[in-house]
Amino acid sequence: LNSPKLFIPDKPDIVLPEPIVTDLNTINTSLLSRVANKPSLIHECTSREFEELVCEMLDKKGYKVNLTQQTRDGGKDIIIIEDNLIGSFLIYVECKKYAPDRPVGVNLVRELYGTISADKATAGLLITTSYFSQDAINFKNQVSHQLSLIDYVKLISEIQKICWIRFLFMQSFLLKHISAFLQYYNVSHKIQLR
């Protein structure tokens, strides 16, 4: 900007509001966004980190989630309580962090269904870093209105959708604010040519 033909008047320093910076840092450092970018990371996290990741995903999808204590949770790692026009719903979520080649068997699916029935919960969701055996899928199909299964492929797909939507929202948010700033800057601080 040392050109003698271009004069830029004094202007105040540009300061971004703190919430924008904080929100971007939160999004960029979340386990959810890291797994969305590199799905294999899901196999490197601990069982508790996996539960936290699932909890974060469900929270981002708009559910009211409660992460239970780490041990002796009775087959419910996360509890979702939904109140809406139709009524109140209690949903148990069980998270199983398994190696990619180790399927979740029918016994765990039956155990979750038993816990749902005993506690009179509305439904249950079993989420894994692996896949489900055919027997597990067959059992789930018998009680499909009360039980859902999410395997690695579907889980990663859901995580990527959430992160993609958040990315698009942030892009839109930033473009809107940058556009507003540029309009303000052009009106308030016109560049004068000599």
Side-chain angles (χ1 to χ4, degrees):
L1 294 176
N2 292 330
S3 169
K5 295 182 180 180
L6 187 62
F7 171 73
I8 301 176
D10 290 334
K11 59 185 181 297
D13 289 338
I14 301 168
V15 179
L16 288 176
E18 190 63 32
I20 294 174
V21 175
T22 303
D23 287 346
L24 285 173
N25 287 338
T26 301
I27 289 167
N28 288 335
T29 60
S30 81
L31 182 55
L32 203 63
S33 63
R34 288 182 292 165
V35 168
N37 292 325
K38 187 177 178 188
S40 63
L41 285 177
I42 205 165
H43 296 292
E44 295 174 20
C45 63
T46 65
S47 293
R48 186 58 173 187
E49 288 169 336
F50 177 59
E51 292 169 6
E52 291 167 355
L53 172 115
V54 170
C55 195
E56 183 182 356
M57 177 193 75
L58 293 169
D59 178 65
K60 300 286 188 242
K61 290 184 79 60
Y63 295 104
K64 296 174 194 138
V65 294
N66 296 301
L67 187 62
T68 63
Q69 65 185 6
Q70 196 165 353
T71 58
R72 295 190 182 104
D73 55 28
K76 34 193 184 262
D77 298 318
I78 300 166
I79 298 174
I80 299 172
I81 300 174
E82 283 296 311
D83 292 312
N84 60 39
L85 182 64
I86 298 171
S88 296
F89 301 92
L90 176 64
I91 303 164
Y92 291 163
V93 181
E94 180 71 9
C95 304
K96 290 296 176 194
K97 184 188 169 293
Y98 279 11
D101 59 346
R102 179 181 172 203
V104 175
V106 69
N107 288 341
L108 287 174
V109 179
R110 283 187 178 136
E111 284 176 28
L112 177 58
Y113 182 71
T115 302
I116 293 163
S117 298
D119 293 357
K120 298 188 182 0
T122 310
L125 177 60
L126 203 151
I127 301 176
T128 185
T129 55
S130 182
Y131 63 100
F132 295 94
S133 71
Q134 190 58 53
D135 287 342
I137 293 167
N138 292 343
F139 181 81
K140 177 260 175 203
N141 289 339
Q142 294 172 16
V143 292
S144 61
H145 295 294
Q146 288 185 288
L147 199 59
S148 294
L149 306 177
I150 296 180
D151 64 10
Y152 172 82
V153 173
K154 187 170 182 179
L155 176 62
I156 295 301
S157 174
E158 289 298 315
I159 290 170
Q160 289 174 335
K161 275 189 233 175
I162 290 166
C163 290
W164 181 245
I165 289 168
R166 289 182 61 79
F167 172 77
L168 291 177
F169 170 78
M170 287 307 298
Q171 292 296 319
S172 171
F173 176 82
L174 290 173
L175 287 174
K176 176 181 167 187
H177 284 81
I178 289 169
S179 175
F181 168 77
L182 290 175
Q183 285 178 346
Y184 168 79
Y185 181 83
N186 287 334
V187 170
S188 301
H189 304 92
K190 292 186 178 185
I191 298 175
Q192 300 174 0
L193 294 177
R194 287 191 175 188

